[in-house]
Amino acid sequence: MATIYEVSKLAGVSLATVSRVMNKNAKVSEKTRVKVEEAMKELNYRPNSIAQSLASSRSNSIGVLVSELHGPFFGQMMAGIESELRAAGKHVIITTGHSEEEKEKDGIEFLFSRSCDAIIIHVEAVSDEYLIELSKGKTPIYLMIRYVDKLVDNCISLDNEMGGYLATKALIDLGHKDIAYIAGPLFKTDASTRLTGHKRALAEQNIPFYENLLYIGDFKETGGTEGLKHFINKKVSFSAIVCANDEMASGSMKYAREHGFRLPEDLSIMGFDNVNFANYLYPKLTTIDNPVYSMGRMSAKLVLQNVYKVEDLHIQHVFSPTLLSRKSVTKFQP
Amino acid sequence: MATIYEVSKLAGVSLATVSRVMNKNAKVSEKTRVKVEEAMKELNYRPNSIAQSLASSRSNSIGVLVSELHGPFFGQMMAGIESELRAAGKHVIITTGHSEEEKEKDGIEFLFSRSCDAIIIHVEAVSDEYLIELSKGKTPIYLMIRYVDKLVDNCISLDNEMGGYLATKALIDLGHKDIAYIAGPLFKTDASTRLTGHKRALAEQNIPFYENLLYIGDFKETGGTEGLKHFINKKVSFSAIVCANDEMASGSMKYAREHGFRLPEDLSIMGFDNVNFANYLYPKLTTIDNPVYSMGRMSAKLVLQNVYKVEDLHIQHVFSPTLLSRKSVTKFQP
DNA sequence: TTGTAGGCGTTATCAT
DNA sequence: ATGATAACGCCTACAA
């Protein structure tokens, strides 16, 4: 592989000049630039990115830590991050945290040791304090789908309250009044904020909130089945049910169908997230779209702006979810 | 950040010795080793991976190119690759090819320019010849889910013929005789090999193969709906249908349900691949499991063995699919 | 505008 | 077993 040195010899200039034409960061006369470029072409020169990194103390690599590589979110998120970064000539190093504190910390350590210029993390187990501490370090960190007050400028998050509101509001607009809600584990802020939105939609229309119509699930399919079973056993009446995520909605749908409900005539079911399988459920799941892909892109832009000083990027820190009407919700049938 | 130089001073030894204890590749006396290790601890020394790479011309990074980051396969595949490589202290650089020849080539170029020690690619658009040419280069390449004759030792692939056989055989064992088949585009070897397996299963039981019961789809949902529509219009009779992948199976299921078929009583539907949403379809899709996760791990092991000389790894180049019985297939009902 | 020379933090080859 | 010392390929003041 040709080096900058050989190029300089062939072009009859110095190392420095070759470096300059590569990096376009200093004035080089048209004539010499052409000479150098021709030499590079002739030798099929490719810069050695590692040597560049060592000399400039910049690796042009961004570390990304996600919970699971095969989760329903991950793909979209990574796709967003990668497309943006790749277009900028940066590369993405990826690793996983498996939602376990130790592994998440390990992953972050690993990324640091790889001398990433910045790290984008999607972590769940690790505490806010830990993240705040981390952010004081030399490598900038950016948080995906998580909001930490003291780190606002480094967060990309979703307006979960609004999502919860939209979900319930849509049902109310269709005439539903008795709306059950299956929440996620409330210690997760996503889950509690979505619930808050639900309550606001109710209150806005003077519909009282009944504890009887609330079940705390686990964000998994079982949470959906257990929740619906719970409501049925309690003998409360309800014509619609909103689930705090699509997995639980899927669970509810399965349980409902097994127990003779016609969907959506007998029961409207609303999801949240719009993960890939939502479109494969039967009936197709009406849900709240969580723009993970866009958020991924945005986190990359944030890095580009803050770390690589790219300008004129419009940065948006919090994203708004939208209602995605499909087939699992219909108007109230008395 | 402390450097090897500071460690050597603190420990009262030379650079070389410090390097030796780091790499455990040369004899160092117990005493000095301890001294050095203590110095490293005291300075909180972390090796600079970039400098290591430059000096050793080894980046410890493996490039991975996949078609789509959000496809149904990708997650599993990446999860397999990452877990294995990460455990070995290597890191994974990822990028996408979008199933377009130019982009795939770009992606490979990109990975090369990042000085990866090896690259694992999952490409569709690029030709065998191109890959063969590539493999003559300096950076070893490994092929996922693709079989190229001249590159056997660098391929991890699935026994698609066996999968096609298993799918149809399962149906035959349940008493079905009129089995329709929706294939993928036959220029893709996956598609044609799966079809070959189907035919073998038929022949084995002396069931004739009728062109009337074959439809060439596109590996997408539409292929499934179009295929079923085609068979119905042709007025051929069939009690089961095997689709060459799960997307098409999903399409067939939707069309069948919309047209009054009870599933699976009126029509058994078999998929192929076992992508994540297969379990969310209604009824749950009986399908052929494609062990993408294991294949991902194996490709990583291949790299570990060939590039990093790790020993005692059991390498398996071709994987066998298995039947996954769920709810979309039932026994023949006269 | 162009060239010179000193790093960047390791590895690896010789000696000793 | 240990120590000098020359690479590794490039960047970047500083000089010219």
Side-chain angles (χ1 to χ4, degrees), chain B residues 14 17 20 27 29 32:
Chain B
S14 74
T17 304
R20 287 186 186 104
K27 300 291 165 207
S29 80
T32 53

Side-chain angles (χ1 to χ4, degrees), chain B residues 208-222:
Chain B
F209 169 77
Y210 295 113
E211 286 291 342
N212 267 341
L213 284 175
L214 172 65
Y215 179 85
I216 312 296
D218 56 4
F219 267 157
K220 298 180 188 161
E221 271 206 299
T222 49

